[in-house]
Amino acid sequence: FISLGTIFGKDLDFYHQCIEAFRDSEEYQVIMSVGKFVDIEQTFKDIPKNFTIYNYVPQTQLLPEVDVFITHAGFNSTSEGLASGAALVLVPQAVDQFDVARVVEKLNAGIALNKHEINITADIVKKAVDDAAKQEAPVDVHEILVEETANAILEKIKKYVTADNFERVVKWYMEKIGASKVYIPPKNSSEKKDYADADVVAVFENIGVTIYIQVKKHDDQTDSWAVQQILKYGEQQEKNFIYGMTYIP
């Protein structure tokens, strides 16, 4: 089964390399999902008999029946592949997918092909699939994947995030996890009395929760002063509390 996901699934040359890798193979029956943006009739003029190409397939239903899964190494797809027991060939396309692919290969749970390092030809795809099919993944590979990938991403965050921009990173994260409103209160706001402070405020209207966040980036343990600041900020905001909303410092 071949899929580069719904967002990054536009690598037409890679699809054609896969077709040539397994054209008319008696060993492999191939299902290829190319995403909704690819016109199958216009793009693939000569589809081998052992290939079936779709714009979309129900991946989680298909994977338990799959022997080898060629994936873009998105975290969800990789997790689903590992859970299904399929052998993995990982062809990352962007962002954290390269970290996921490296971790999986390090765990001997799949074969990673980095398009920035090698030219991914039909022969390379065929060999990667054959090699992946022979591997036996560790039993607890999914748990290790989560930890190792998190560590890899954390190291990148530490490298590029400074004390000055860390607040914006926290704001972005709160937006990504579903906050309906996120803002950074002005540093010299009149609402911040007696050293009260909150660096980021995140409002989740759908669950009735507002979170006051004190942001610190340093190597040592946060002292009690930061805790006192955020607690005092919460106390000073009580006059603005909305009935039914829970406020968490």
Side-chain angles (χ1 to χ4, degrees):
F1 172 49
I2 302 167
S3 173
L4 296 183
T6 56
I7 298 176
F8 301 103
K10 300 179 183 178
D11 191 341
L12 302 184
D13 180 68
F14 177 73
Y15 293 140
H16 285 293
Q17 294 298 332
C18 288
I19 290 176
E20 293 311 311
F22 305 107
R23 177 178 293 277
D24 300 324
S25 169
E26 296 182 359
E27 183 180 3
Y28 292 104
Q29 292 292 322
V30 183
I31 296 175
M32 193 158 67
S33 176
V34 296
K36 63 182 180 181
F37 300 109
V38 176
D39 187 323
I40 295 174
E41 291 187 1
Q42 292 297 320
T43 305
F44 306 104
K45 300 295 186 180
D46 181 21
I47 301 175
K49 294 180 180 180
N50 62 321
F51 269 74
T52 308
I53 303 177
Y54 300 100
N55 289 113
Y56 167 81
V57 298
Q59 181 168 288
T60 55
Q61 297 177 35
L62 177 64
L63 281 174
E65 308 301 323
V66 168
D67 294 312
V68 181
F69 178 26
I70 299 179
T71 173
H72 63 301
F75 194 84
N76 287 339
S77 290
T78 304
S79 298
E80 291 165 1
L82 290 169
S84 74
L88 297 183
V89 173
L90 305 110
V91 188
Q93 302 295 300
V95 294
D96 63 335
Q97 296 163 10
F98 292 92
D99 291 319
V100 173
R102 279 192 292 268
V103 170
V104 172
E105 185 168 62
K106 178 183 175 183
L107 296 172
N108 197 37
I111 304 295
L113 302 178
N114 189 329
K115 64 182 182 179
H116 298 316
E117 298 175 353
I118 60 173
N119 180 25
I120 303 177
T121 64
D123 289 340
I124 287 176
V125 172
K126 178 63 165 58
K127 184 178 186 305
V129 168
D130 290 340
D131 290 346
K134 299 174 184 176
Q135 288 185 328
E136 293 186 9
V139 175
D140 57 351
V141 68
H142 182 261
E143 181 179 344
I144 300 173
L145 171 66
V146 173
E147 181 178 352
E148 292 284 342
T149 303
N151 289 338
I153 294 173
L154 179 59
E155 289 304 313
K156 286 189 175 181
I157 290 175
K158 288 180 179 179
K159 181 178 179 180
Y160 296 108
V161 172
T162 67
D164 294 333
N165 64 21
F166 197 25
E167 291 176 357
R168 296 198 299 275
V169 173
V170 174
K171 178 177 181 290
W172 169 85
Y173 177 76
M174 288 294 157
E175 293 169 342
K176 287 296 181 181
I177 65 173
S180 51
K181 179 181 179 182
V182 186
Y183 62 94
I184 298 175
K187 297 303 179 185
N188 299 318
S189 171
S190 59
E191 295 180 345
K192 297 181 177 181
K193 301 176 182 178
D194 299 326
Y195 302 103
D197 189 30
D199 296 312
V200 181
V201 178
V203 182
F204 296 81
E205 293 180 347
N206 57 331
I207 58 174
V209 171
T210 294
I211 302 176
Y212 300 129
I213 305 167
Q214 178 73 274
V215 179
K216 301 292 183 186
K217 182 181 185 295
H218 51 70
D219 294 327
D220 301 318
Q221 183 176 355
T222 299
D223 58 29
S224 60
W225 176 242
V227 177
Q228 294 174 23
Q229 284 184 297
I230 194 70
L231 290 174
K232 187 168 291 187
Y233 184 87
E235 292 173 358
Q236 292 181 7
Q237 293 299 306
E238 287 184 2
K239 65 180 182 297
N240 300 320
F241 282 3
I242 299 173
Y243 178 77
M245 179 74 71
T246 299
Y247 294 83
I248 304 174

